[in-house]
């Protein structure tokens, strides 16, 4: 509807993972405000005459400030546009969708949220790694590898996280992988536990490095694997040997 904003998750990459609502939004929207993580093949599904508004980092320039993006959404809606705010994965998982939705709510702009497949579930599945498996884990945690300042988050209760949750899925963690692995080992995780980095999951450039908690950071460096990447720690990583279905 004109004057409405749809906050939509585009999934980890493969356009086949879009929801029907996401596809509908791509076909209807007047303006698409999208992030760096949104796959080009997905943008190609948009209405040919839709305005495309990039809200990510480009060519080393700093990314637009979050309040600027939120205010832009309000402005576009008030101008009577059908606005699609398109984000990688799920908009409410480490995607700052909650912040944007709050600004829209405060401004009285009507919006809806269309969940997407988050990289920590769908991206791992493309690497043949299930987030849960009955014999391995009955809990899984999604953890951010850096906080607003770019450092390893100290708001995380590392001792409890390390002890209580058998499978840990880290977003934005490649840069601090050494430190994260050391913290987990210091809190009692076995250095020999299987762990993996999954880069550019569900895209044609997907790469996976499997090692152990103590060797993963070095293995990742040697491989030259690049972000965006997930780090997964836990016995489920072993299942990839049998479940790596991607041709
Ligand atoms: N809202 C997104 C997450 C955004 S935070 C979601 O739900 O998936 C950005 C981080 O997500 C990246 O640093 C990386 O850790 C992860 N990520 C997103 N897409 C990815 C992909 N295709 N492959 C691997 N990791 C991905």
């Amino acid at each position: 509807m004109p004057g409405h904003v749809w906050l939509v998750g585009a999934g980890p990459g493969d356009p086949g993972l879009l929801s029907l609502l996401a596809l509908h939004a791509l076909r209807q929207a007047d303006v698409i405000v999208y992030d760096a993580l949104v796959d080009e093949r997905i943008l190609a599904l948009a209405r040919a005459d839709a305005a495309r508004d990039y809200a990510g980092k480009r060519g080393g320039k700093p990314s637009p400030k979050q309040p600027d993006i939120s205010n832009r959404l309000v402005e576009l809606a008030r101008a009577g546009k059908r606005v699609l705010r398109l984000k990688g994965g799920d908009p409410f998982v480490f995607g700052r969708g909650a912040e944007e939705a709050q600004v829209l709510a405060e401004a009285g702009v009507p919006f809806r949220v269309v969940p997407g497949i988050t990289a920590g579930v769908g991206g791992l599945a493309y690497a043949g790694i299930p987030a849960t498996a009955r014999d391995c884990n009955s809990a899984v945690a999604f953890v951010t590898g850096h906080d607003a300042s770019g450092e390893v988050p100290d708001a995380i209760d590392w001792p409890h996280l390390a002890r209580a949750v058998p499978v840990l899925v880290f977003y934005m963690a490649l840069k601090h992988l050494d430190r994260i692995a050391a913290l987990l080992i210091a809190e009692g995780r076995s250095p020999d536990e299987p762990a993996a980095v999954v880069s550019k999951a569900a895209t044609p450039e997907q790469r996976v490095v499997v090692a152990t908690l103590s060797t993963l950071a070095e293995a990742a460096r040697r491989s030259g694997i690049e972000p965006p990447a997930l780090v997964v720690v836990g016995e489920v990583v072993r299942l990839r040997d049998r479940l790596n279905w991607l041709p």
Side-chain angles (χ1 to χ4, degrees):
M1 295 259 290
H4 287 232
V5 177
W6 280 26
L7 199 55
V8 176
D14 187 342
L17 299 180
L18 284 171
S19 67
L20 293 176
L21 280 171
L23 183 60
H24 178 72
L26 280 160
R27 290 185 174 157
Q28 298 279 320
D30 300 314
V31 188
I32 302 168
V33 182
Y34 64 98
D35 284 341
L37 283 175
V38 176
D39 199 283
E40 277 167 29
R41 295 167 298 168
I42 287 172
L43 288 171
L45 298 169
R47 230 175 72 189
D49 62 337
R52 288 165 170 74
D53 201 336
Y54 182 73
K57 279 194 183 120
R58 180 172 279 163
K61 291 201 191 118
S63 49
K65 299 267 177 291
Q66 192 61 44
D68 294 348
I69 299 169
S70 302
N71 293 333
R72 175 110 184 99
L73 298 176
V74 172
E75 244 169 57
L76 289 166
R78 289 201 174 137
K81 306 286 185 201
R82 282 171 289 209
V83 186
L84 168 55
R85 175 65 174 119
L86 195 59
K87 289 172 174 287
D90 183 276
F92 278 181
V93 179
F94 301 132
R96 310 197 69 174
E99 284 149 86
E100 291 174 20
Q102 283 181 75
V103 172
L104 295 169
E106 272 158 33
V109 171
F111 67 93
R112 80 169 289 173
V113 179
V114 178
I117 296 178
T118 190
V121 176
L124 290 189
Y126 268 59
I129 302 172
T132 76
R134 203 164 61 166
D135 295 339
C136 301
N137 63 316
S138 45
V140 53
F142 299 129
V143 188
T144 174
H146 65 70
D147 59 18
S149 68
E151 295 308 313
V152 176
D154 16 278
I156 292 173
D157 180 346
W158 290 97
H160 284 104
L161 186 73
R163 279 168 211 160
V165 189
V167 171
L168 302 170
V169 181
F170 291 93
Y171 291 65
M172 302 171 276
L174 204 49
K175 189 170 146 209
H176 297 309
L177 190 47
D178 283 293
R179 172 116 180 81
I180 289 168
L183 272 165
L184 292 173
I185 292 168
E187 299 301 344
R189 297 294 280 238
S190 162
D192 300 325
E193 192 171 339
V197 174
V198 181
S199 157
K200 303 183 185 172
T203 78
E205 291 113 67
Q206 174 173 311
R207 286 186 67 194
V208 183
V209 170
V210 178
T212 65
L213 188 51
S214 61
T215 59
L216 186 63
E218 178 56 26
R221 260 193 302 277
R222 263 202 321 267
S223 73
I225 206 166
E226 287 177 352
L230 299 152
V231 174
V232 52
V233 178
E235 289 298 322
V236 288
V237 171
R238 275 190 222 286
L239 297 174
R240 174 175 154 83
D241 290 344
R242 306 276 306 270
L243 305 184
N244 180 22
W245 55 272
L246 200 71

